[in-house]
């Protein structure tokens, strides 16, 4: 599943090609995504201008000014295997290319083999976008200045679940997916099964700091792939970062040399070093 850094790099990649562009056509080839695409959007978005892009959690957002002066936003989720890319206007659609935004000189194309993603319209006249049901329960953004160790500590006091599971939940802070949660906890020297409410303020400060560092490093790593969003083949995947623990079960720890261990938490694989991240009693 594309994580927050992948979504942010997607946004950065397409933004110069869609911001200020007029949508000549909104083509829906297959509306059967996780939630059905509203086919009325083919008329609503005709001649609409994409004013700017944004991101909330793992949602890519396209703000639109419509021809009838209506203002709205498209919430785009990439699901398990989706991607967006810029293609030339004459690029043939492939089997899983479900949606096109057609501009004068190019197209934005939504590709989703498993169709677990979504493209949802929110009319801003109805209310604030952050009050949309898909966004309402999301936690604070990791790069928000308000996300500090103190914030994490205060919002974790009533959470008895394991810290790895709490990070994945996304209702304290968004965007710390499975890969990055394992990496953050390794850097913080915190065992993934540690009860969230048992964390000290000092540990909470380390977690908040490392969340920002690890996610920003992933975004920076993805920056070199921005060119791939123009005439790309639509393939997506995680950035080829150097991981200390993720997907390295049985391999030596980069710090102490002992074997990395793997456990399953909330049906997701967790990787850690039992020596560098000792369990608390």
């Amino acid at each position: 599943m594309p994580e927050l850094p992948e979504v942010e790099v997607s946004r950065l990649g397409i933004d110069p090609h869609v911001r200020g562009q007029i949508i000549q056509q909104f083509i829906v080839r297959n509306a059967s995504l996780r939630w059905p695409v509203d086919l009325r959007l083919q008329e609503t978005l005709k001649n609409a201008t994409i004013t700017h892009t944004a991101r909330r959690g793992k949602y890519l957002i396209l703000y639109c000014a419509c021809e009838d002066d209506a203002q709205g936003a498209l919430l785009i989720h990439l699901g398990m295997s989706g991607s967006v890319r810029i293609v030339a206007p004459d690029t043939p659609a492939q089997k899983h290319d479900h949606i096109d935004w057609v501009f004068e000189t190019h197209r934005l194309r939504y590709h989703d083999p498993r169709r677990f993603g979504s493209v949802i319209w929110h009319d801003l006249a109805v209310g604030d976008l952050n009050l949309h049901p898909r966004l309402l329960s999301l936690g604070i953004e990791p790069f928000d200045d308000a996300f500090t160790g103190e914030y994490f500590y205060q919002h974790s006091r009533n959470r008895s679940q394991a810290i790895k599971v709490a990070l994945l939940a996304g209702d304290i802070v968004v965007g710390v997916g499975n890969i990055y949660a394992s990496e953050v906890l390794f850097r913080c020297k915190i065992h993934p099964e540690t009860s969230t409410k048992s964390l000290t303020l000092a540990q909470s400060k380390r977690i908040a700091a490392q969340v920002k560092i690890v996610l920003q490093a992933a975004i920076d790593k993805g920056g070199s792939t921005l060119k791939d969003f123009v005439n790309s083949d639509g393939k997506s995947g995680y950035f080829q970062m150097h991981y200390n623990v993720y997907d390295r079960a049985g391999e030596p720890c980069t710090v102490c040399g002992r074997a990395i261990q793997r456990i399953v938490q909330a049906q997701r694989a967790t990787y850690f070093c039992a020596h560098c991240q000792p369990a608390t009693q």
Side-chain angles (χ1 to χ4, degrees), residues 31-45:
S32 300
L33 302 183
R34 185 175 182 182
W35 294 285
V37 180
D38 187 347
L39 293 178
R40 292 174 296 181
L41 290 175
Q42 293 179 116
E43 186 61 33
T44 300
L45 294 176

Side-chain angles (χ1 to χ4, degrees), residues 150-169:
E150 289 80 1
Y151 180 97
F152 191 87
Y153 181 77
Q154 292 169 5
H155 287 78
S156 64
R157 295 305 83 203
N158 62 347
R159 304 289 288 266
S160 59
Q161 62 193 154
I163 178 56
K164 166 74 183 313
V165 177
L167 286 173
L168 290 183

Side-chain angles (χ1 to χ4, degrees):
M1 177 185 293
E3 303 284 6
L4 182 150
E6 286 80 12
V7 177
E8 179 62 10
V9 168
S10 294
R11 186 191 71 79
L12 293 171
I14 69 170
D15 181 82
H17 305 281
V18 304
R19 185 171 14 94
Q21 293 289 326
I22 296 173
I23 304 171
Q24 296 184 342
Q25 278 185 285
F26 181 69
I27 299 173
V28 180
R29 299 186 187 87
N30 189 341
S32 300
L33 302 183
R34 185 175 182 182
W35 294 285
V37 180
D38 187 347
L39 293 178
R40 292 174 296 181
L41 290 175
Q42 293 179 116
E43 186 61 33
T44 300
L45 294 176
K46 188 175 182 180
N47 295 322
T49 300
I50 298 177
T51 59
H52 59 291
T53 68
R55 179 195 51 75
R56 179 73 174 102
K58 297 178 184 179
Y59 283 92
L60 171 64
I61 304 171
L62 304 181
Y63 283 92
C64 301
C66 299
E67 199 172 32
D68 61 359
D69 293 330
Q71 303 282 327
L74 285 166
L75 293 172
I76 303 170
H77 198 288
L78 300 178
M80 297 294 292
S81 57
S83 62
V84 289
R85 65 195 191 278
I86 303 298
V87 298
D90 57 351
T91 304
Q94 302 301 311
K95 180 179 179 180
H96 302 298
D97 291 341
H98 303 311
I99 298 174
D100 275 10
W101 289 256
V102 180
F103 309 119
E104 183 179 5
T105 61
H106 56 282
R107 299 183 179 206
L108 172 65
R109 180 161 287 172
Y110 175 85
H111 177 86
D112 189 355
R114 300 179 69 179
R115 291 189 284 116
F116 284 168
S118 59
V119 177
I120 302 170
W121 175 253
H122 176 76
D123 190 331
L124 293 175
V126 174
D128 190 309
L129 180 60
N130 288 314
L131 299 179
H132 189 281
R134 304 292 172 217
L135 305 182
L136 191 57
S137 63
L138 296 183
I140 194 171
E141 285 287 326
F143 300 116
D144 192 313
D145 289 341
F147 178 57
T148 62
E150 289 80 1
Y151 180 97
F152 191 87
Y153 181 77
Q154 292 169 5
H155 287 78
S156 64
R157 295 305 83 203
N158 62 347
R159 304 289 288 266
S160 59
Q161 62 193 154
I163 178 56
K164 166 74 183 313
V165 177
L167 286 173
L168 290 183
D171 53 354
I172 298 179
V173 57
V174 297
V176 191
N178 197 45
I179 292 176
Y180 305 115
S182 287
E183 292 298 307
V184 164
L185 293 176
F186 174 78
R187 288 169 174 241
C188 294
K189 301 182 179 180
I190 296 173
H191 194 283
E193 294 181 312
T194 301
S195 171
T196 304
K197 66 181 181 182
S198 73
L199 294 170
T200 66
L201 177 58
Q203 288 175 317
S204 298
K205 288 181 177 180
R206 292 206 299 272
I207 288 173
Q210 288 300 327
V211 163
K212 294 175 186 285
I213 291 170
V214 169
L215 293 182
Q216 187 61 58
I219 292 170
D220 292 343
K221 182 70 174 179
S224 63
T225 69
L226 290 182
K227 60 182 175 60
D228 296 336
F229 290 96
V230 180
N231 298 322
S232 78
D233 59 7
K235 294 180 181 178
S236 62
Y238 295 108
F239 307 138
Q240 298 303 306
M241 292 181 63
H242 170 73
Y243 298 125
N244 289 296
V245 291
Y246 181 77
D247 202 26
R248 297 188 61 242
E251 296 180 24
C253 173
T254 55
V255 174
C256 71
R258 291 172 172 81
I260 298 298
Q261 297 186 20
R262 178 188 185 275
I263 59 174
V264 176
Q265 295 178 284
Q267 300 181 317
R268 305 296 299 276
T270 296
Y271 300 87
F272 67 102
C273 173
H275 180 262
C276 295
Q277 301 167 257
T280 56
Q281 300 299 322

